[in-house]
Amino acid sequence: MTRQPPAIDTLVEPDRVHKSVYVDPDLFELEMDRIFGHAWVYVGHESQIPNVGDYHQALIGREAVVMVRGEDGKPHVLYNRCPHKGAKLLAQPCGNAGRFLRCPFHGWNFRCDGRLLSVPAREGYEDTRFDLRDPAFSVRRVACQQSYRGFVFARLAESGPSLEEFLGDIRLTLDNFCDRAPEGEVEVAGGVFRVWQRSNWKIFFENLNDTSHPMVTHESAVNAARAEYQHRGDGGQMPFQLHIIEGNGEPYDFWAGLEMVAYDRGHSYMGAIFTPPTDPVSLGHQAALEAVHGPEKTHEILSVQRHNSIIYPSCAPHTSFQQLRVIRPVAVDRTLVEIYTFRLKGAPEDYFQRSITYANIVNSPSSNVMPDDIEVYARVQEGLATDGGDWVSLHREAGREQGDGNGRYTGGGLSELPMRNQFRAWAEYMGEEA
């Protein structure tokens, strides 16, 4: 018999949270229902399925879904399940299913939008309740799906806010992500990193806009980058590959000066760490934008400088280097993170190659940076399982944030505002009244 999880309203306080939110498996199951069963969750980008029959698999909480390009040219998000015997229709993470989806068990065929196309030995269904036109015999669609500038989100619940209402002002991150492309569109390119983390999904999400950890967690990587630069001994500008590692070693005063903004529903962003360089690669991108928009509009686009943005509870876009990290909770202490790199359509090829470089140096599981984080996440998970204390502190600059009355909150660059904001949303989703 499943035990009753602790009362939700006792777990989250304005400046701390109870450790059970990270380690209680029953609370995790409740999250799968109340958060991932009701929030808009990122599924994929339309560019991942350019042709009819192309598909991309994803998880929405516990539900395995697949995004498929239909004959109508639109993406369709379907449950990855045959309505006949329940077999999984598509096994690979991505690919092309051909002109229709075919169940590998009994050969039922479906259109790429999920509608039943044909069944073998059809005469055996005569004088039964089977009806080819009955939606019950088609692949089930998710309750709601919407696309925002090519980014596809889905919601399992029938009722709730529209995608644009859900995103609110965090939409500016996705707008800027695309506006940086001279053609106004982006596409997934360069493959994907898939990283298994031995920790609760919320630990990763909280760390994205945690500015007090880099100089501690990444100390060895920073020292290695500085040592390599000194070893070169030429006194020139630090190479880009070293600069994006060494930047984690900035002092607390630097981080305190960054912009920190949070929104209702758990979304947030932090200001950019790296000042846009004036190297030939950056200037080439700027010139490509100016050729389309002119200097004034280009300046407006490039002046939006954000490092990590959080679209709670499922993804984190990085506009400056065209990265997107997707969070797939699997168990209370196990999380799959997928990292995608995007190409800006119309931008010079070397600009895309720099994004690939950033992905390999910062977001690769074999980089000098990410393993530090994964190790710390696992240590947090292990530490929370002990009797060393019941509460997790979120006290830094608590009560100092400023709200505008319209769901936007600002705090100091070292503030734990984003974490408190996420748990405010967590409590709203998880509450009985929800």
Side-chain angles (χ1 to χ4, degrees):
M1 181 177 180
T2 302
R3 66 180 179 81
Q4 186 69 21
I8 300 299
D9 59 4
T10 67
L11 302 178
V12 177
E13 297 184 2
D15 54 9
R16 65 179 188 171
V17 296
H18 196 271
K19 70 175 186 179
S20 60
V21 302
Y22 303 100
V23 299
D24 190 319
D26 293 331
L27 281 175
F28 178 81
E29 295 302 327
L30 204 59
E31 290 173 339
M32 296 302 98
D33 173 32
R34 295 187 180 176
I35 299 179
F36 289 87
H38 290 82
W40 285 97
V41 172
Y42 178 74
V43 175
H45 193 267
E46 290 187 24
S47 64
Q48 293 173 278
I49 51 168
N51 306 306
V52 174
D54 285 350
Y55 66 88
H56 169 76
Q57 286 204 54
L59 283 173
I60 303 179
R62 288 293 195 198
E63 303 297 334
V65 300
V66 61
M67 177 177 67
V68 188
R69 179 76 67 177
E71 293 173 303
D72 57 2
K74 299 177 181 179
H76 300 272
V77 183
L78 314 171
Y79 287 89
N80 195 0
R81 177 192 185 276
C82 177
H84 180 212
K85 297 293 185 181
K88 191 175 181 180
L89 289 169
L90 298 164
Q92 300 303 315
C94 59
N96 183 277
R99 294 182 296 107
F100 51 84
L101 309 178
R102 185 175 187 271
C103 178
F105 198 0
H106 293 94
W108 283 32
N109 295 314
F110 306 89
R111 297 185 186 278
C112 290
D113 61 5
R115 289 178 296 160
L116 181 60
L117 179 62
S118 65
V119 298
R122 186 172 174 181
E123 61 276 5
Y125 294 100
E126 294 175 358
D127 301 322
T128 72
R129 290 193 294 173
F130 174 82
D131 185 346
L132 199 67
R133 298 163 297 179
D134 187 343
F137 298 107
S138 292
V139 182
R140 186 181 177 189
R141 298 167 173 263
V142 296
C144 302
Q145 73 169 78
Q146 289 187 33
S147 179
Y148 187 81
R149 299 200 69 167
F151 296 89
V152 179
F153 291 78
R155 190 183 68 208
L156 301 181
E158 293 281 355
S159 61
S162 67
L163 176 60
E164 290 201 13
E165 183 182 353
F166 166 81
L167 293 173
D169 287 343
I170 200 66
R171 284 180 299 169
L172 178 58
T173 291
L174 296 180
D175 287 333
N176 188 250
F177 201 116
C178 297
D179 290 345
R180 285 171 174 260
E183 296 179 15
E185 294 182 351
V186 298
E187 60 184 353
V188 174
V192 57
F193 292 124
R194 290 188 172 88
V195 183
W196 285 103
Q197 299 180 355
R198 304 185 308 278
S199 50
N200 187 271
W201 66 278
K202 295 185 291 297
I203 297 171
F204 171 79
F205 236 176
E206 292 169 41
N207 191 62
L208 289 174
N209 286 341
D210 180 336
T211 55
S212 63
H213 87 277
M215 71 292 291
V216 179
T217 302
H218 302 301
E219 181 180 18
S220 61
V222 168
N223 289 342
R226 290 173 176 169
E228 172 62 20
Y229 173 63
Q230 291 171 0
H231 177 71
R232 294 179 174 226
D234 57 11
Q237 185 176 7
M238 180 176 285
F240 173 75
Q241 292 89 336
L242 299 179
H243 174 61
I244 56 179
I245 298 175
E246 193 271 343
N248 287 292
E250 296 285 357
Y252 286 108
D253 286 349
F254 169 83
W255 302 99
L258 294 181
E259 184 181 26
M260 192 69 75
V261 178
Y263 300 101
D264 285 343
R265 297 192 172 92
H267 313 315
S268 64
Y269 75 84
M270 61 178 284
I273 296 174
F274 304 106
T275 303
T278 55
D279 60 281
V281 174
S282 298
L283 294 177
H285 171 237
Q286 180 177 324
L289 280 174
E290 288 181 349
V292 176
H293 299 294
E296 186 175 343
K297 180 64 176 178
T298 296
H299 174 75
E300 179 183 328
I301 292 170
L302 296 180
S303 65
V304 177
Q305 288 292 321
R306 299 181 176 185
H307 193 66
N308 290 325
S309 292
I310 291 173
I311 301 179
Y312 189 84
S314 65
C315 68
H318 188 308
T319 60
S320 298
F321 294 108
Q322 296 78 56
Q323 313 281 298
L324 181 73
R325 283 177 279 188
V326 186
I327 293 83
R328 310 288 188 202
V330 176
V332 69
D333 58 356
R334 194 164 172 81
T335 304
L336 173 64
V337 176
E338 300 172 336
I339 304 103
Y340 296 91
T341 302
F342 287 71
R343 175 185 280 112
L344 303 181
K345 291 187 177 181
E349 177 63 19
D350 54 5
Y351 196 77
F352 169 65
Q353 291 302 322
R354 189 167 71 180
S355 296
I356 292 292
T357 298
Y358 183 89
N360 282 308
I361 291 176
V362 176
N363 285 329
S364 164
S366 60
S367 74
N368 287 348
V369 179
M370 178 176 283
D372 294 337
D373 290 315
I374 294 176
E375 170 68 17
V376 169
Y377 302 158
R379 290 194 189 191
V380 171
Q381 193 71 33
E382 292 166 4
L384 290 171
T386 72
D387 286 331
D390 289 335
W391 293 93
V392 172
S393 168
L394 299 176
H395 291 84
R396 180 175 283 114
E397 298 192 18
R400 300 183 195 174
E401 52 263 26
Q402 301 294 317
D404 68 353
N406 294 310
R408 184 179 189 270
Y409 311 88
T410 57
L414 287 168
S415 174
E416 290 177 314
L417 165 64
M419 301 75 164
R420 293 190 292 269
N421 187 58
Q422 287 175 42
F423 274 107
R424 183 167 62 89
W426 184 91
E428 291 170 356
Y429 277 116
M430 295 284 282
E432 290 293 339
E433 65 276 8

